[in-house]
Amino acid sequence: MKHWIRPALLALFSLPLTANPAWTQQHFQGDRALEIARQFVAIGPRWCGSPGHLKAEEFLRNQFKADKLEEDAFTANTPIGPVPMRNFIVRFPGKKDGVIVLATHYETNYPLRHIGFVGANDGGSTTGLLIEIANELRGKTLDGYSVWLVFFDGEEAIETWQGTDHTYGSRHLAAKWGADGTLKRVKAFLLADMLGDKDLDVQKETQSTPWLSNLVMQAARNTGHAKYFFANEQAEEDDHMPFLQRNVPSIDIIDADYGPHTQQQPDGWHHTAQDTMDKISAKSLTIAGDVFLESIKLINQR
């Protein structure tokens, strides 16, 4: 992600902050998601082509030994030449004809490979989030649409966030699924990015599909988390864009306002060595997990 295109402050929404009485499900276990993220981030830097990246791939394989895990290997043409990359896809079948995709990216930034950048929030937190969502879904009968989890490779730029030097994994998979007809089955694509931030403030991504943004806001209301969502808006170039461009209803659920913004660090802790585990929390991952699971319910009710 991660290129702020048009920040614009909105007036704060007047939204109820209490949970819907009809919503009685136990909260998502963000503490488990945080522990998974901790183990994953302990691998260290995991930029494409590094030993850490191979360990990250093996970590994902181990998490999904009991599932049907697809490895989508491809070679990306990058400014430094051909780079092997690998997306991971795990499927939980539902009874309805259609698919809800939840996605994130798992690698770290290649240009920052020499500073020990571990991406605790940027990649690590949402990898833990999706793995714990998988733990919630595993073994259950899904009465609604199938839920597919996608862990993208190559979201980060290899040199600079210009042209096509970014979102390699999502562009590859969107093109592949477009060619084989899979995209026609996707009812909604929900991207998770940087949602572990202790000071959670999820922006409304302005290019996302409007009805899906409204639905996620409703999910936040239903779960009592409205105050953490959509107080401001901005556009993001992220892994949802290749799917939006192919007319798949898509949303980027992202908190890009991460850490204090200073002259030395205008983007806060984003893409710095300060993006470490002490900056993320179980509470934020609980909020994100609640809203993702509630969003799945609401999409199934459409």
Side-chain angles (χ1 to χ4, degrees), residues 2 41 44-47 105 107-124 156 194 258 269-276:
K2 314 226 193 146
V41 171
R46 48 191 186 276
W47 42 269
H105 78 97
E107 94 289 8
T108 54
N109 186 294
Y110 182 86
L112 303 181
R113 63 195 181 280
H114 298 308
I115 69 168
F117 176 70
V118 297
N121 191 29
D122 190 3
E156 300 283 11
M194 299 180 68
Y258 180 43
W269 296 321
H270 178 224
H271 284 174
T272 73
Q274 284 72 52
D275 183 4
T276 47

Side-chain angles (χ1 to χ4, degrees), residues 24-276:
T24 58
Q25 178 178 329
Q26 184 179 8
H27 283 298
F28 178 79
Q29 295 189 341
D31 55 341
R32 293 187 182 183
L34 182 66
E35 179 55 30
I36 294 167
R38 189 184 311 280
Q39 294 172 21
F40 184 67
V41 171
I43 291 170
R46 48 191 186 276
W47 42 269
C48 296
S50 69
H53 193 282
L54 294 176
K55 292 178 181 178
E57 293 178 14
E58 194 59 28
F59 185 95
L60 291 172
R61 292 186 187 103
N62 288 335
Q63 293 293 322
F64 297 110
K65 285 181 177 179
D67 307 296
K68 182 180 179 182
L69 180 66
E70 176 186 343
E71 300 190 18
D72 174 36
F74 64 101
T75 300
N77 293 319
T78 79
I80 62 170
V83 175
M85 296 186 184
R86 191 179 302 266
N87 298 323
F88 290 86
I89 305 155
V90 60
R91 296 174 169 86
F92 296 96
K95 293 182 178 179
K96 292 177 68 174
D97 183 19
V99 175
I100 299 169
V101 176
L102 310 184
T104 188
H105 78 97
Y106 69 94
E107 94 289 8
T108 54
N109 186 294
Y110 182 86
L112 303 181
R113 63 195 181 280
H114 298 308
I115 69 168
F117 176 70
V118 297
N121 191 29
D122 190 3
S125 68
T126 48
T127 295
L129 174 70
L130 260 63
I131 291 172
E132 183 55 28
I133 288 176
N135 293 338
E136 290 272 345
L137 299 176
R138 187 177 294 112
K140 295 181 180 177
T141 299
L142 303 185
D143 291 328
Y145 298 118
S146 297
V147 177
W148 294 358
L149 306 182
V150 178
F151 299 83
F152 287 123
D153 203 355
E155 184 264 357
E156 300 283 11
I158 296 296
E159 285 191 347
T160 60
W161 197 267
Q162 301 292 330
T164 58
D165 185 20
H166 54 79
T167 61
Y168 291 97
S170 55
R171 287 188 291 112
H172 165 80
L173 190 62
K176 178 180 176 179
W177 281 358
D180 67 14
T182 299
L183 284 188
K184 296 177 182 178
R185 299 187 58 208
V186 179
K187 302 299 181 181
F189 175 96
L190 288 75
L191 179 66
D193 201 353
M194 299 180 68
L195 295 176
D197 185 0
K198 284 183 176 179
D199 183 20
L200 190 64
D201 173 24
V202 179
Q203 290 84 48
K204 184 176 183 180
E205 201 286 315
T206 57
Q207 300 172 101
S208 298
T209 303
W211 72 257
L212 195 48
S213 294
N214 292 338
L215 183 144
V216 169
M217 189 67 242
Q218 185 61 52
R221 292 192 194 105
N222 290 357
T223 54
H225 301 315
K227 67 180 179 180
Y228 300 102
F229 281 76
F230 299 174
N232 54 71
E233 69 173 18
Q234 64 193 47
E236 293 285 348
E237 291 293 321
D238 210 342
D239 279 324
H240 65 311
M241 293 303 297
F243 293 86
L244 271 177
Q245 291 162 358
R246 289 171 172 79
N247 299 314
V248 176
S250 304
I251 183 171
D252 189 6
I253 304 175
I254 182 171
D255 177 2
D257 183 14
Y258 180 43
H261 303 279
T262 65
Q263 186 174 3
Q264 292 74 26
Q265 295 184 338
D267 289 336
W269 296 321
H270 178 224
H271 284 174
T272 73
Q274 284 72 52
D275 183 4
T276 47

